[in-house]
Amino acid sequence: MSKENGSVMLQEIDIADKLGFRLLTNAIVDFETLEAALRIRQQEDPQKQRSLAQILVEDFELDRDQIFEEVKNLYGFRQIRLSEEEIDDNRIAFIRKMFEPLPEYLQERMKQDKILILRYDHRNPSKLIIVAADPTNRIIPSIARALGVKKYEVCYMRYAEVQSLLERAFPLENEFLREMNDSQQLELTDEEIEEELLDEEKIESEINKSALVNLVEGMLVEAVRKGASDIHIVPKDKKTTEIAFRIDGKLQPWHIQEGIRPEALAAVVKDRSKNIDRFEREKAQDGFIQRKVDNHMIRFRVSVMPIVGRELQYKFESIVIRILDDRKVITDLDKLGFQGKAKEFFIKAISKPQGMVIVTGPTGSGKSTTLMAALNYIIRPEINVLTVEDPVEYIIPGARQLKVGTKMGFEQALRSILRHDPDVVMVGEIRDRTTAETAIKLANTGHLTFSTLHTNDAPSAVSRLYKMGIEPFLIAYAINVIIAQRLIRRLCDHCKAAIPKIDPSIPAALGMSQEEIKNTVFYRAVGCDKCNGGYKGRVAIHECLYFSRAVRKMIFRSGSEIDEEALRELGMREGMQTLRQAALERVKQGITTLEEVAKSTTDD
């Protein structure tokens, strides 16, 4: 676009929409996006026409808070921050009291659009304060009229904060759990259980006469709402099953089902899962469930494993359900939380036309999320991106994701993609020598290749590949970067408490210098109704080993064994932070505790 055309467009946008001009001049949107959004707005029915801000957020997925901060600034709306408000039981009761008299259609719109009547103004007790994620929302005057309010002020509050208040004032009801509580539970005697250990009709009878169906459906809904990453269903004895949710990396008990055979509960889960045989109890099985929860489609990956109980005659199965909620997927590299030179190394590595990018770490450390963000960073129409995953966890717009199954195995899919003209390939996991050799071959024949590996840190990933049988010279010249990562628990901002005096030997033992200890405010986990034992959410830490010329040379010259310690020291000299160092940075930022650092990382 020429400078002259750009100047003309600026004038047109300035006249047509002040917000558009502001967003453009503040570099929040570019010319093309703004022009497309204004075109959409012009084409909409004037009676149902959305604002420019709504179109940019809903259709172009721009940062909601950033857009509406500009709306607030442009029109002079006051911002109310939830952290500065006293939200006690009386305030919640007031919010409900003002909400209940409203017509049902207004109640639904308020929940949908994130609008709440918060309180009366402290300075003017006759004026009502209404908070909204979009303070220009056209429905707000109708709310005031329905309440017969003449004086009111509309204030801006961030979307997530209004949502948090809504959830507290109007907790979502789990209809399946309600029906389960209302229904008649079936209690079995020991004699009935012993009578027919695996009589399928007996199990079917238990399912039909009990609330197990509602329990399973309610469990899926509740796990999504609580932000769990996994559901664990574990038989304890012949008529007891325990259910736990993994939240922020920790397993938490949720429900104990007594008086019902574990086989019956397992059968309900298996019945609702695709690709799982309900009557197979001797081998491991994998499948998936798909459900719409709160108007959003969620996928659940189901893993079933036969286990041994105290009484060997019972065929127990452990079930773990991974929750795949694409709303949690981070597609912006800036939000991955890279520290120090890690982001620079990572972008440099994924911007190359060929070579391998390996993300390593234990299960549940966020490897898939990092790869998703990397692919979103490089994906564009002119390149062919292929992925081979077993199973596919998240749908990646713009990529062709190969379906691995009984007719096309993982290794066959890897061989086939070489004939499918790829530019970028993602191999879900390097499992063995065959997978490693194929990935190395892709990287050495002009393809940018992404994959994951299960090792403790970045240098040990090099050793792992070597022990798989990959020659050092292939490792040295095929790999661009190895990222090791962990997720550590984040302190709750509402209840974390500073430690007035800490024994300096504790942070010193973890690697902090006396100067760092002196300049750091250390916090401890407390616990409140907004968190899980003092922690809320998790944050990533990274160890980024970039394959510079010196690193490649060291690996190339390796003899019969990779010297991990020497490799680590060289990486650190070139700007790599170890996982321990990255975690301690989070302590210095007041984000986590020394206990989390000690539990999540090892000595360098």
Side-chain angles (χ1 to χ4, degrees), residues 28 43 66 104 127 134 164 181 219 242 247 251-252 258 297 299 317 370 401 413 431 441 452 461 466 474 510 516 578:
I28 294 170
Q43 293 169 355
Q66 198 174 27
E104 191 173 333
K127 185 168 72 176
D134 174 8
S164 174
N181 292 330
M219 171 190 74
E242 292 181 356
I247 299 174
L251 275 176
Q252 300 178 11
E258 296 179 319
M297 192 60 74
R299 294 175 71 244
E317 291 172 295
T370 298
Q401 295 174 267
R431 307 171 173 209
K441 182 179 179 181
T452 66
Y466 179 71
L474 287 174
L510 292 172
E516 287 175 318
T578 65

Side-chain angles (χ1 to χ4, degrees), residues 233-245:
I233 304 169
V234 186
K236 286 301 173 183
D237 58 41
K238 58 191 175 186
K239 56 177 183 177
T240 306
T241 307
E242 292 181 356
I243 301 174
F245 293 164

